[in-house]
Amino acid sequence: MSNDQNKPMTQKLYESVPSSRPTAKFLTATTLSATLLFLSGLTLTWTVIALIMATPVMVLFSPVLVPSAIVIFLVITGFLFSGGCGVAAITALSWIYNYVQGKHPLGADKLDYARDMLASITRGVTEKAKEYGQYVKLQAREVAQGERS
């Protein structure tokens, strides 16, 4: 005989029943999902009804509403763009101020590296320009001496 047969029936039933926690989670999720689905359906229905009721009014007032909507859109866009440019300018000025004060803000090491690279390149170009200038000066002297003789 197996060990299961010796157990009382209530203990067998208790062991076979799933835990109440997953069941509660499932019921809560199902109830919440059904409620939200119902509310979204109601919202969609009332939105369509409101659109159907407002369409004649929108058609009657469209010569006024469309241009005013365009103007409002342009004004809001202009304010947002100008605000964004102002924030960018303040950020740039703050970065420059911190850089000049020696606080080394984010990206300062890249700027220093680029400055050093440009300085080394210009030193090389300056030296080559001086050498070429001396070469041209010597050539001009030789030409001038050749014309005298």
Side-chain angles (χ1 to χ4, degrees), residues 108-121:
D109 53 342
K110 291 180 182 179
L111 182 65
D112 292 337
Y113 176 75
R115 184 188 63 213
D116 293 341
M117 288 297 294
L118 283 174
S120 67
I121 290 171

Side-chain angles (χ1 to χ4, degrees), residues 77-89:
T77 304
F79 278 129
L80 289 175
F81 182 73
S82 67
C85 288
V87 168

Side-chain angles (χ1 to χ4, degrees), residues 127-140:
E127 290 172 6
K128 287 183 182 181
K130 285 180 182 178
E131 291 173 7
Y132 188 70
Q134 290 173 355
Y135 171 74
V136 169
K137 192 175 185 181
L138 289 174
Q139 291 296 322

Side-chain angles (χ1 to χ4, degrees), residues 41-107:
L42 275 178
T43 304
L44 178 66
T45 303
W46 283 107
T47 302
V48 170
I49 290 172
L51 185 62
I52 289 170
M53 291 173 59
T55 300
V57 175
M58 296 281 279
V59 169
L60 287 175
F61 291 111
S62 66
V64 175
L65 292 177
V66 171
S68 63
I70 291 172
V71 168
I72 290 171
F73 172 75
L74 290 175
V75 166
I76 290 172
T77 304
F79 278 129
L80 289 175
F81 182 73
S82 67
C85 288
V87 168
I90 290 171
T91 303
L93 288 173
S94 171
W95 188 93
I96 291 170
Y97 176 76
N98 287 334
Y99 182 76
V100 169
Q101 292 296 320
K103 295 180 183 174
H104 296 292
L106 184 66

